Amino acid sequence: MKTVHQAHNGWQGVLLDLDGTLLDTLPDLAASANQVRQALDMPLLDEALIRTFVGKGADNLIKRTLAGELEAAGSPAPEPDAALFGRARTVFFEHYRATNGDRAVIYPGVLEGLQQLSELGLPMAVVTNKPYDFSVPLLQRAGLMPFISLVVGGDSCAKRKPDPEPIVHACQALTISPEASLTIGDSINDALAARAAGGSVLAVPYGYNEGKPVTELPVDGIVQSILEAVHWLQSNTPKRSWVTG
């Protein structure tokens, strides 16, 4: 029989997004995206536009990078030619593997927040749509891995956020109840995944969120930092999800 964690104020664990929540990784991602454009003799894209491509994993980022002009005009990215996409994917992954974390910056309040969560006895998992093999080295390079019990990457499960499967998987691995988990992220992907899994969710406003206002997300609260999220957790208790059916 698995042991279920009993922790602070009814909360049993915290699930953290990575890109746009713990670390500002946009400069590295944008550089790799533009490396694809350069390799294919396409004009480079503004970092502000690439920012709106981040959130649903590397393949989605690459697809939208290839359709940069359409994306800039507000049109959805079509499915790219398979051979073109394969070449673009190879260029992106080679460049990002070599530069992962070069210019990544820890957001204010992250280290202090993770330290306080650790002191409260709450196990923490990173649940991200970034591939696992990129996520762990990045967390190690940033010095955050000592706080993290588990990393669930975008390729760790059959589905990725906004599907709830990665959230449920993380809770099972941590032996905690999804209803007693708190997800902290920056996008609609985090909000929908956590809600569907039956947990609570907070959003930070400084991330990427695919260009959509964070105030429109179906979350339990908006906090300015991971440290502020700890204060929110200490003042609130878990509640059953409003998802029905």
Side-chain angles (χ1 to χ4, degrees):
M1 182 177 179
K2 291 183 177 180
T3 300
V4 176
H5 288 280
Q6 298 294 333
H8 184 82
N9 211 25
W11 301 103
Q12 295 175 359
V14 176
L15 312 178
L16 300 145
D17 180 51
L18 179 50
D19 297 280
T21 299
L22 297 180
L23 294 168
D24 181 5
T25 55
L26 181 63
D28 292 329
L29 291 168
S32 294
N34 270 326
Q35 185 71 20
V36 169
R37 301 277 299 188
Q38 181 175 329
L40 297 175
D41 294 322
M42 294 177 171
L44 303 186
L45 301 175
D46 288 340
E47 189 173 287
L49 177 62
I50 297 173
R51 181 186 186 95
T52 68
F53 301 168
V54 179
K56 286 187 168 64
D59 284 353
N60 184 69
L61 169 59
I62 296 164
K63 182 179 78 170
R64 297 184 70 181
T65 294
L66 290 173
E69 288 78 9
L70 288 174
E71 291 280 357
S75 300
E79 286 300 319
D81 172 79
L84 179 66
F85 179 77
R87 183 183 174 194
R89 195 174 190 272
T90 296
V91 171
F92 180 90
F93 274 68
E94 286 181 351
H95 187 270
Y96 192 66
R97 185 173 288 108
T99 59
N100 184 16
D102 277 0
R103 291 184 284 173
V105 177
I106 302 173
Y107 286 112
V110 168
L111 286 173
E112 299 90 337
L114 296 183
Q115 181 63 48
Q116 288 198 14
L117 289 170
S118 179
E119 292 171 358
L120 292 174
L122 289 166
M124 287 171 272
V126 165
V127 182
T128 174
N129 282 343
K130 182 189 289 294
Y132 179 87
D133 287 345
F134 289 149
S135 301
V136 172
L138 178 59
L139 288 163
Q140 290 171 333
R141 186 171 183 180
L144 301 183
M145 273 304 294
F147 297 104
I148 306 302
S149 300
L150 172 74
V151 176
V152 180
D155 49 1
S156 298
C157 300
K159 298 179 180 179
R160 61 174 61 93
K161 300 179 295 184
D163 191 275
E165 182 178 354
I167 300 289
V168 173
H169 174 80
C171 290
Q172 290 174 341
L174 294 177
T175 63
I176 67 175
S177 168
E179 290 79 10
S181 71
L182 176 64
T183 294
I184 307 171
D186 68 325
S187 78
I188 188 66
N189 303 306
D190 305 300
L192 294 180
R195 286 296 193 191
S200 299
V201 57
L202 298 177
V204 293
Y206 51 71
Y208 310 137
N209 195 29
E210 301 179 70
K212 300 178 179 63
V214 70
T215 52
E216 297 178 4
L217 299 182
V219 296
D220 295 289
I222 297 172
V223 291
Q224 299 303 310
S225 67
I226 300 299
L227 180 58
E228 187 175 314
V230 180
H231 300 157
W232 185 96
L233 176 148
Q234 292 176 302
S235 301
N236 292 272
T237 57
K239 62 182 180 180
R240 295 187 63 85
S241 169
W242 49 256
V243 175
T244 59

